């Protein structure tokens, strides 16, 4: 049980991962075996590549180039496509419904999330993550200003991206068993759950980078390599706490409510925020 695995159950996620690796790995006879087997690997790969774009120990990530912000958005979109293909390849009615719900959510939240990020790029005058961090170092964190609205929109959108309550519609266990994950077991399920956890850290780190200055903070010259990771982790944990609080406070909504909310409120608000940033800049 959770209380027996590490102090206060701290090691329980690792125990669950090991347990899933040891369980039988079943591929349904009617499933598309190629897609069904490859999607968990692709999902984890996409999120690990995304993590290399984050400026953790310096003002730039391991991978840093002009346009890397667009790649960060694209990797999140790729993950959603992986979810759809994983559900469809299962040839299970519940998986198919979950996959269709995931695509409906994608159309709803991807646009406001991208517009919110576009406001940050417009403010910094660059689509390079390192330049955005540098711009905040020279002025102020973007959350203190018109980007505060963009920060709120981004958090709501990534909550839907992560399929976390109240947007866990594609995996609604009371309605469609486990949605697109229904047929996945053993190692495949372990990889999908691990990739979801990595994505949670990735989007939290991306929010900390775009709106909270990433690793930027008071530092004694020469100690940047020690202090920068501490600042980055602290800011990432703050964002992660906010996302977890949203999950705790709300209950699941219906897919039509989610899509209506995105198109009627999030998209207009994100356009207004983008226009506001353009006027100020």
């Amino acid at each position: 049980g959770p209380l027996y695995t590490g102090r206060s159950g701290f090691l329980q996620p690792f125990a669950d991962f090991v347990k899933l690796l040891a369980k039988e790995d079943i591929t349904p006879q009617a499933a598309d075996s190629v897609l069904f087997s490859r999607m968990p690997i692709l999902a984890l790969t996409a999120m690990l590549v995304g993590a290399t774009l984050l400026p953790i120990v310096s003002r730039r990530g391991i991978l840093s180039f002009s346009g890397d912000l667009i790649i960060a958005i694209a990797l999140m979109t790729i993950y959603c496509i992986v979810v759809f293909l994983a559900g469809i390849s299962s040839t299970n009615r519940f998986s198919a419904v979950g996959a269709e719900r995931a695509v409906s959510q994608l159309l709803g939240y991807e646009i406001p999330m991208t517009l919110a990020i576009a406001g940050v790029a417009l403010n910094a005058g660059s689509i390079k993550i390192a330049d955005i961090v540098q711009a905040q170092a020279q002025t102020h964190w973007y959350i203190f200003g018109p980007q505060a609205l963009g920060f709120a929109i981004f958090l709501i959108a990534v909550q839907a991206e992560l399929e976390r309550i109240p947007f866990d519609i594609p995996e609604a266990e009371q309605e469609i068993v486990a949605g697109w994950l229904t047929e996945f077991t053993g190692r495949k399920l372990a990889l999908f759950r691990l990739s979801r956890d990595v994505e949670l850290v990735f989007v939290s780190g991306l929010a900390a980078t775009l709106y909270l200055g990433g690793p930027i903070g008071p530092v004694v010259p020469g100690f940047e390599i020690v202090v920068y990771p501490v600042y980055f982790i602290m800011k990432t944990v703050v964002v992660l706490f906010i996302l977890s609080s949203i999950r705790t406070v709300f209950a699941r909504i219906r897919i039509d409510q989610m899509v209506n909310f995105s198109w009627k409120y999030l998209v207009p608000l994100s356009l207004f925020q983008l226009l506001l940033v353009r006027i100020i800049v």
Side-chain angles (χ1 to χ4, degrees), residues 154-230:
F154 181 84
L155 289 184
I156 295 173
V158 297
Q159 190 79 349
E161 161 81 27
L162 294 164
E163 297 178 7
R164 290 163 64 86
I165 297 173
F167 306 116
D168 60 332
I169 308 163
E171 302 176 27
E173 59 185 16
Q174 294 93 338
E175 305 165 22
I176 49 175
V177 188
W180 61 274
L181 276 172
T182 298
E183 295 288 0
F184 287 93
T185 58
R187 293 188 297 273
K188 297 184 184 69
L189 181 59
L191 288 176
F192 265 128
R193 289 187 174 176
L194 179 60
S195 64
R196 186 64 83 189
D197 291 338
V198 174
E199 185 183 23
L200 174 60
V201 176
F202 168 61
V203 297
S204 299
L206 187 62
T209 300
L210 299 180
Y211 298 98
L212 304 178
I216 299 301
V219 58
V220 177
F223 287 87
E224 290 87 354
I225 195 172
V226 177
V227 178
Y228 277 172
V230 175

Side-chain angles (χ1 to χ4, degrees), residues 8-50:
S8 301
F10 180 75
L11 296 177
Q12 187 61 34
F14 302 100
D16 287 339
F17 183 74
V18 173
K19 178 181 68 176
L20 283 174
L21 289 178
K23 283 192 172 183
E24 184 179 6
D25 189 19
I26 301 172
T27 300
Q29 185 175 4
D32 184 325
S33 59
V34 175
L35 285 177
F36 191 81
S37 301
R38 301 298 185 272
M39 289 304 104
I41 301 172
L42 181 57
L44 182 58
T45 301
M47 290 301 99
L48 290 175
V49 170

